[in-house]
C-alpha cells in the first residue's frame, strides 16, 4: 500500500514520488512553485551570501531594465491607480498621527498579530515593489517604558 501525506502548500493528500522519499509538496505546478518560493525565502533568511548575491543580481537587473516599472505602469492603468490610492491612504494616515505628541494623546496602541507589509527602513512610506507581506504573531506584548 502506498503511503500518502498532506501537501504543505495546498493541503491535499498525495503519494510521494518513489525517487523523492521526503517529498513534502504535491506535484502540481502551483505547489512546486510554492516549494521553490519557500526554499528561497528560507535561504534569504539564513544565508547572508545568498542574500547579498540576490540583492546584487536584482540591482543589476534594475540597471539593465531601468524603464521596466515606468512602462509597466503606463501599460496597466489599474495598477497605477491602485498605487496612487494606497499612497494617498498612507499620506493621510501619516499626517493625522502625530508621533511626537505621545504625552498628549496617550501611548500608541501596541502592534497586534496580523498581516504587515515589510520593506527596507529607508524606503518606508514610499510605494515599493519589493516589499513582503508577512504575518506576525505577537508572542509577548512590549512593556511601556517608565515615564
Ligand atoms: Zn499541493
Amino acid at each position: 500500500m502506498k503511503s500518502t501525506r498532506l501537501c504543505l502548500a495546498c493541503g491535499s493528500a498525495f503519494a510521494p514520488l518513489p525517487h523523492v522519499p521526503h517529498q513534502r509538496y504535491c506535484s502540481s505546478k502551483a505547489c512546486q512553485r510554492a516549494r521553490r518560493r519557500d526554499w528561497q525565502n528560507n535561504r534569504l533568511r539564513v544565508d547572508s551570501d545568498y542574500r547579498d548575491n540576490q540583492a546584487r543580481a536584482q540591482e543589476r537587473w534594475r540597471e539593465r531594465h531601468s524603464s521596466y516599472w515606468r512602462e509597466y505602469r503606463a501599460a496597466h492603468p489599474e495598477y497605477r491607480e491602485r498605487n496612487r490610492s494606497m499612497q494617498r491612504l498612507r499620506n493621510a494616515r501619516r499626517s493625522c498621527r502625530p508621533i511626537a505628541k505621545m504625552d498628549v494623546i496617550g501611548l500608541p496602541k501596541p502592534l497586534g498579530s496580523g498581516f504587515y507589509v515589510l520593506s527596507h527602513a529607508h524606503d518606508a512610506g514610499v510605494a515599493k515593489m519589493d516589499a513582503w507581506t508577512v504575518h506576525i504573531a505577537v508572542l509577548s506584548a512590549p512593556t511601556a517604558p517608565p515615564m
Side-chain angles (χ1 to χ4, degrees):
M1 192 188 111
K2 262 188 181 171
S3 72
T4 61
R5 59 186 72 163
L6 299 180
C7 170
L8 279 185
C10 69
S12 324
F14 70 99
L17 297 169
H19 59 284
V20 191
H22 299 294
Q23 187 177 355
R24 297 179 304 152
Y25 296 79
C26 75
S27 302
S28 84
K29 272 208 169 93
C31 295
Q32 287 301 306
R33 265 199 307 275
R35 177 181 63 79
R36 286 190 290 273
R37 197 173 53 235
D38 290 351
W39 180 89
Q40 192 185 34
N41 284 342
N42 183 54
R43 203 78 193 158
L44 286 169
R45 202 168 48 239
V46 301
D47 185 340
S48 62
D49 286 342
Y50 183 79
R51 199 160 50 231
D52 292 346
N53 277 335
Q54 289 292 102
R56 274 194 295 275
Q58 284 171 6
E59 197 177 325
R60 282 195 300 273
W61 189 92
R62 280 195 301 271
E63 283 165 7
R64 284 196 313 274
H65 303 86
S66 57
S67 60
Y68 177 85
W69 284 113
R70 190 170 53 242
E71 285 163 13
Y72 184 90
R73 286 188 295 269
H76 298 82
E78 73 289 348
Y79 172 86
R80 197 178 54 216
E81 193 41 52
R82 183 178 178 277
N83 266 357
R84 283 182 182 161
S85 61
M86 297 291 276
Q87 186 61 53
R88 277 192 292 270
L89 192 65
R90 283 190 293 269
N91 291 346
R93 279 190 191 139
R94 197 164 35 203
S95 62
C96 70
R97 199 170 36 186
I99 293 166
K101 295 200 168 186
M102 278 174 27
D103 55 333
V104 176
I105 61 170
L107 288 172
K109 201 173 151 222
L111 295 176
S113 296
F115 289 94
Y116 293 86
V117 175
L118 182 67
S119 65
H120 203 279
H122 71 244
D123 299 324
V126 180
K128 283 296 291 174
M129 299 322 305
D130 50 355
W132 290 359
T133 299
V134 298
H135 183 261
I136 293 177
V138 173
L139 300 177
S140 67
T143 53
M147 285 305 189

